[in-house]
Amino acid sequence: MNGASAAGSQLSTVSWDHFFMSLNQYFINLRQEAPPTAERIQAYHYYRCGITPQEVDGLRAVLQLITLVVKKDENARIALSENQQWLPLVVLFGLVSCSIPPKLKAELLCTLAAFARTPETGATLWQSMEMSQILQTVSTARGSGGIQVELEEIEARNEEYPLTLAFMELISVLTENPIPAGLGIRIRAPGFQPYIDFLKDSVFLKFTSRAYKKPEEKWEVGAAVLEIFHKLLSAYEVIGEDFLDKPYEVQGEGILAANKPPGFVLMVHMMNESGMLKMILFVLEEAIQAFEKYVPFPGKSALEKVALLCLKMIEAALEKQHEFLDALRQSGASLIVTQMDRLLLGINPRTGRPDYLVNIAKYVAHAAYLPKHALSALHILIGVCQSPLVQTKIVGLFTADEKFSQDLLHGFAMCLESDEPEKVEAKEDYLDIDVSLSQVRNRLREDIVWLLLSTIDHPAPNLAHFLLGFELRKPVDKTNLQDPGVLGCPRTCLHSLVTLLSRGLDSQAGPTCLYLMPKLAELAYHMVYVLSTNSQTYGPTLRYLRMHDFFYRQCQHLPFQSQLSEDSLLMHQSWLLKSVVVELRVTSVNRQRSHAQRMMNLLLSESPDTQSKFAQMDGGFDPDYVTFGDDYSGASHLRSANPAFVDGQVCRKLSSILSSVDFSFGYPGALELEVFSKAAVELLMENCEQRNEQGLALCNVKLLHRILLRECSGMTGAQSAIIARDIQQICSNAVERNAYKETIYRRRQAFDAWRQTIEILLTACPLDLLDGERRQKLLFELLQDLLDKVSKSDAVSELTSPVAGVILTLMAHLTQCFVTPQSAYDQLTDHAQYVSMLDGQNALPGSHDISTILGEVVTGSRTQYASSFQVVLRGLLDHVMRSSSSAQRVRAYLYGALLYYLEIARKPKPLEISASASVERSVASRLANRESEYERLAKENADTLNSYGQNLMDIICRDACDGHDVGRMLALACLDVILTDDYRQAWLNHLSSKGYLQHIIEMFLKDDAQLQALLLPQPEPLRALYIFQSKICMLTKTAATLHGARILLECGVMSRLVECSVFDLRPEPDRAMEGFIPSVLTRYRQQILFPVLRLCLSLLTSFGSGNQFAASQVLKFIVAHADVFMSILRDRHSVLTLESLQELQLTTAVVCRAAVDDGVEEFLLSDAVHTESLGTIRRLQRQMFALLPKYCPSEKQPKRTPEQAAGGLGLDARSEEERADLAVQMQIITEEILANVITLCRTLIAKPGAKSKEAQILFEPSLAEGMARNLRGFEDLTGNLGNNSSRPLNLGVIVYLLSASAHLFMTTLESHKQLYHKYLNVADMSTEVLKEFYVGEKRISDKMSMQQRNQMVSQRLGFILHFKSKELQLLSYVIENCMLILWHHLEFFLVSCKPLDAKTSLLRRYATNQMRKLNDASMQEAAFDAMETGGVDSCVGGLSQDQLMQLKREAVACINETLLKRLEEMEKCYTSGRTRFGFVTAMVRRLRRLLRLHTL
C-alpha cells in the first residue's frame, strides 16, 4: 500500500497498527504537499499528485471497516480513541483538512461520527472540529472556506453530496448528547448558531433547488438535515432566560451577545413566516402530491422520511408554542412571533388558497401505508383545533371540496375500524423505545377519538360535527342520523365507533373490543357519553343509539369482567353507566315509559336470565310484559355473559356492579435508597407531576429519569452501579404510584357512575315504576351493601369518602318512604273518626277496610324492617367512628344521613281539622296501638346509640363544639334529635358531666361579638349566625324536660344571654325587598331573637308557672334588654308582616308567663341593683294592655276575602295562593297575640300568694266601647297607652272583645262545618268545584288524573280546616277568659265598691272582707303609684254615683240576652267534648245574676 509492490503487499501484515500508521503517513505526506491554506480548496482539482484513485478506494475500504467495528463494539471504540500511539481522532481530522477527494472526506467524517457515539469522545470532537474549522465558524480576512465551500463549489458542480451527508451524520451523532455550553469559547461567541445557520441556509433552504445525479439523494439530504432539526427542537426545554441577551467578551471582537440555544432558534423560525417554515410546508405539499399518484418512483422511502420529519417539526412546534409564548410574555422581550395555528391557516402562494391544513389532513387518508405520517398529521390537527376560533375555518376548508371531504371522512372511519389488536406495553415506559407499526396504528385510532373529544364542545359547526356526520348547514340538534347508505348518509366516525362497541354483543363474552382493544374501547364509551350529554348532539345521538337498542344490549353484559385485572374495565363501565343515566333521564322526561321501564327492569332485576321468554326475536320488546314485580325481573333475548352473582348469591345487577368496585388497595412501599436523599427524591417526584387529560396529577417518569441521569452523569466506577440501582428503584416506585393513582381514579369514577345511576332511578324515573315495599327493599339493600364495603379495615379513604354522600342520598329517600305525608296521615285518622260516627260503615270511597289502610301507611313497614333499621344505624355509626376528624365533609354527610334516619322514628303530629273533640274510644285506642311503633323504633334507636358508649358521644359532642361550620350545625342538630329520644338521659348527663354543655353556653360571649358584626348591612359570611341558631335550638330541646331545664339554669344559660349585647341592636324595619342574603332585621329576628325567646318559653314551660327561680332568670333577661321588648310591644309597624307578628307573639308569650308571680317581684326587690326592675315590668305590662284594642276582631266589619286581607298586610307581590295562606297564618298569630294579652290580664287579676283572696282591678268602670260597632272611634282612649300613659283601658273593651269573638266564633264554626263536609266528600265534587280551591300557580290542570286532583284538593282543604280548628280553639280561649275578667270587674264595681261623696274619687281595696271606701287622692295617681312601685293591688279611675249608675245602664245594654245565648250556644256546639265543659254556662249564670240583682 502507498506505492508498495504487489509482492510486498501480499507479504505485509494486516493489523490495526498497519491501518492507523498508514493513515498517519498519508496525513504527514498530504500536509507537506498541501498548497497554502487560502488556496487549498480552490486548487483541489489540479493538486492531487500525492494520492492515487486506487489508494482512495483502499482508504475508503479501511475506513468503512473501522467504522463498522467502532459502531458495533463499544469497548473497541473506546480503546481505539484513547490509543496515544495512533491518535486516530487527530489523524482523521487532519486528513479531513487536507486536499483529498470528497468521497474520502465523507468516509473520514463517517468514521468520526462512529467514534462520536461515546459521550466523552463526542466532547473532544466538538473541540477538534472548532479548532480545525471544518465548518468555518470564525470569519477571517482570507475569506470563507471549509465544508461550505466544498458544498457550493464542488458537490453542487458534481451533483453529488457525500461530504454534506457525512457531515450531517457527524452532527446528528454529536447532538445525541447535550451540546457543550462553551462551544467555540474564546474565539467567538459561544453556541451552536454557526452550525444551525449552515444547515438551514446552505443545506435545507437550497436542497430542493440543486441538481442531483441520483434523485433519491435529494430527499436523503433533506431527511438528514430535518432529522437534526427535529432532534434539537424536541429536546429543547423552554426557559425564560433564553429570551434575554447574555453579553460575552471575545478577544479581539469586543463584547458580543452569546448565541441562543438551537431549539430556541428553531422555534423562532417555526413561529414566523420564515423560509424554513415555508420550505417545510412546500415539502409536505410536494410529498402528498407524489403519494397521491400511487406509482413507485426513486427515492420514495427517503421522501416518506422527509415528509414524516416535516410533520414532526410542525407537531413539536405546536406542542411547545404555548409554553414559548408564556415565557416570551413574562420576559418582556421584543421578539415577534405568531401562533402556529394562524400560520397554518395562511395563504399558500402556490395555490392562492389557505390549504396547508388540507395538505396535512390528506396524510390521514393514507394511514393504511403511512401510519406514522397519519399519526403526526393527526397530532397537528389536534394542536390546531385547541382554539375554538379556528373551528369554523377548518370545517370550511375540509368541506370546500366534496371529493376531499368524502375521502377524509372515509379515511378517519377506516382508521377507527382497523382490527389491529392492542399490545400490553411494558411498565418501564420511561425508557425511550421505538414503537412498532402496530402500536402506531393503535395510537392513531385513539388519537382520532381524542380529536373528537377535544372539539365536540366547541361552537358549531366544528370538526367533530363534521367527522361524526352531523348537519353543518342547519342546527346540529335537527340532525337525523342514519345508517351508512341510508338517505345518502356516508360512513362516519360515529358509525365506526358504534360498530366497534357492538361487536360481540350477541355472544356470551360480551363486546370483543373490551379485551382486543381496551384503550380504544374506553375512549369510544367516553365519546358516547360526551355525545349523550352535549346540549346539541344528545337528541340525535340518543335517537340513533335507541334505534339500535345500544344501551340495553350493552347493559346486559354489566359488570364488565377482564382477564387482565379487576380494574382494567372500570372506566369503560363508568362511561357506559353515565350514558345510561342520561338515557334514563331523557326517556323519563319525554314520557317514553316503555324504554325507561325496560332499562329499570334490567338494572333492578335479581335474575337477569328469566325474561328471555318475553323478548321478541328481532330484539324488540313486548310492552304487555313491562311490569316490574316479584315475578318479572329483567329482559334479555340472549343469555347474559355475566350473571348477577355475588358471594354465590343472586343479586340485582346494580348490586353486582357495586361489588365490582373494590374499596381496598395497597399503597406502594417506601423508597430504600443508598445514595439519594429520600426527601430530595420526594420533592423531585412532586415537581415532576403533571396533570393528564382527566386532571389527574401523575409523575412524568421520563422527565424524572432524564433529570436523575443528568444529575449523575459525572459518576463513574462502582458508585455508578449503585446509582443505577437507585434510579431504577425510584422510577419503578414512581410507576407504581402512578398506577395507584390511576386505579383509585378508575374506581372513583366507577363508583360515581353507579351513584348517578342510583340517583336517577330514585328521582327522575316515574315513581310508580318503583314504589312502596319494593322501593324500601331496594334502599335497604343498597345501604347495607355500601356500609358493608366501607366497614372493611383495608378500605382506602379516597374511595370511602364519596360513599358518605351516597349514603345521605339513599337515607333521604328511605326517609321519604317511611315518613307518612301529613295530608295522608290526617286523612286516614280523620276517616277513622268518620267511620266511627257512621257505626263502622266504610266511608272512604274506593278503599278497603280502614284497618288495612292504617296498617299499610302507619305501621306496616317499621315493624317489618325493625332489624334492617338497626343494621343500617349500626353501620352508619360505625362509619362515623371510623371517619377521620380531618374529613369534615364526610362527617357532615354522615350527620345528615343520621338526621334523616332518626326522622323515621318521629311520629307525625296530626293536623287538627275536626271541630269536635270527641272520638270513639275504639278507634282512638286502635290508632294509639298502631302508632306505638314510632315509640318502639325510637327506643331501639336510643338503645343502639347508647350501646356505643362515650366514644360516639365524644365524637359528636366535639364536632358540635369545635368542628367545621357545617359539621357543627349538623352535629348540633343530631344532638337535638338524640336528646329527644334518649329516654335514659345518658346523652344529657354526658353533655353535662364532660363540660360540653357548659362550653357551648360559655361560648355565647364569643358569639356575641361575631353576631354584632353580622348585623351590619354588608356582613361577613353568615356561618356564625346559623351556628348560634343551631346552638339555641339544641338548648331549647334540652330545656323541654325538667331535668334538662334544671341543668341549663345551673350552667347559667340565662346569665350568659343577659350579658350578650347583640339583643340590644334591634334594627329598624326596612321596606326594601330582600335578596339572596336576608335583611339585617330578618337576620336579627329569625336567627337571634326568635330562637332565644323560644328557649325562654321552653324553660318556663318545663318548670311550670309556680317556679320562682326559672321565672326570675327569664325576668332578668327581659329586664336586661327591656328597651328591645318595649320597642317590640309598641308595635309601630305601618304594614304588618308575618315576621313582625311572630316577633310580637313570642314577646307577649314570654312576658305574660314570666312577670306575673309575686314571689318573682319579691326576688327582684331583694336586690338593690334591681329596684327599678319592677317598674320596667309594669311598663311592659301596660304596653301589652295597649295591644288589646288594636288586635280586637271587629264584629260589624264587612267580610273580606283572604286575598283582600293579605293585600292590607303587605303581601301584594306574592301569588294568590301564597297571599291567601299567609293571610290565614297571620290571622292565627294575631289571635295568639290577643290570647297572650288576655292571659296576662287573667293572671294579674288573680295572682296567687299571700293575698290571693284579693284581686287587682285593671279596667276603668266604663262600658261605652261595648256598645260600639267598631273600636276605631275610641282610638283616643287607647292611643295614649302607647305613649306610656298610666290611664287604664275601659271595661267596655273586654265586652266588645267578648261580643266580637263570639260572633267570629260562630261564623268560623259554620264555615268549618261546610269545609269539613266538602273534605269528607272530595270524591263526589265536580271538576269545576275542585278548581275553585286552586287558583294560583298550582291550579288544577285538565291533564291531571282524578286521583291527583282529589289529593290536591284534600291537602288544600286539610290545610284550611287545620287553621279553622286552631282559630276556634283560640277564640274559645279568649271568650272564656274575657267572661272571667268581665265577671270579676262587674262584681267588684257593682257589689264590693260603695260610692261616697263626689269629692273623693279614688277606689282602693282594703284588707280582706273590708268594705271599699272612697279616699281623697286621685285614682289615676294611685293607679300609677301602684303600678310603678310594684304594689300588690292595682287601682283604676274614680267612681262616683253618676258613674256607677251609668255603668249599670251600660251593663244592661251591652251584656244582653242575645250575647249570653250566643255564648251558651257556642258551648253546646263546640266545648261539649272538652275538659272545660260547663265553664261558659257557669259564667253566664253568674253574669245574669249580677245584672238581675245589681243593675235594677
Side-chain angles (χ1 to χ4, degrees), residues 50 480 907:
N480 184 19
K907 181 170 64 176

Side-chain angles (χ1 to χ4, degrees), residues 496-655:
S496 299
L497 292 175
V498 174
T499 302
L500 170 72
L501 297 176
S502 300
R503 291 173 185 166
L505 284 179
D506 298 337
S507 64
Q508 294 184 1
T512 57
C513 59
L514 296 178
Y515 49 87
L516 290 181
M517 46 195 76
K519 290 185 178 180
L520 179 61
E522 177 186 340
L523 292 172
Y525 281 117
H526 189 186
M527 189 72 241
V528 171
Y529 168 73
V530 172
L531 290 174
S532 302
T533 55
N534 186 276
S535 59
Q536 296 178 321
T537 62
Y538 81 94
T541 302
L542 292 180
R543 285 194 298 269
Y544 179 75
L545 296 178
R546 202 176 300 131
M547 183 173 62
H548 291 270
D549 204 14
F550 177 81
F551 291 119
Y552 186 83
R553 297 171 63 202
Q554 291 280 344
C555 288
Q556 287 177 336
H557 298 276
L558 290 177
F560 293 146
Q561 297 178 357
S562 173
Q563 299 177 353
L564 299 177
S565 65
E566 297 180 356
D567 302 324
S568 59
L569 299 181
L570 285 181
M571 288 304 299
H572 309 67
Q573 183 173 295
S574 64
W575 292 126
L576 176 60
L577 274 180
K578 290 178 181 180
S579 304
V580 171
V581 166
V582 180
E583 169 72 0
L584 280 171
R585 171 66 177 170
V586 172
T587 53
S588 300
V589 170
N590 295 333
R591 299 182 180 180
Q592 295 173 315
R593 182 185 179 89
S594 62
H595 290 282
Q597 188 170 13
R598 187 175 177 225
M599 187 64 68
M600 288 179 64
N601 293 336
L602 177 64
L603 294 174
L604 301 178
S605 62
E606 294 185 358
S607 53
D609 299 332
T610 60
Q611 197 187 339
S612 58
K613 58 184 178 181
F614 300 138
Q616 299 175 358
M617 296 301 295
D618 58 354
F621 193 77
D622 188 354
D624 294 338
Y625 293 99
V626 183
T627 304
F628 179 69
D630 297 334
D631 59 344
Y632 175 82
S633 55
S636 173
H637 63 282
L638 293 169
R639 176 170 293 273
S640 174
N642 302 313
F645 286 93
V646 176
D647 296 333
Q649 297 180 354
V650 178
C651 66
R652 303 179 191 272
K653 186 171 286 290
L654 273 178
S655 299

Side-chain angles (χ1 to χ4, degrees), residues 136 264 405 468 587 736 786 808 848 1014 1099 1240 1257 1331:
Q136 188 171 353
F264 176 87
S405 175
L468 292 169
T587 53
E736 293 176 359
L786 281 176
L808 175 62
H848 301 286
L1014 292 176
L1099 289 170
L1240 178 63
I1257 302 302
K1331 290 183 178 180

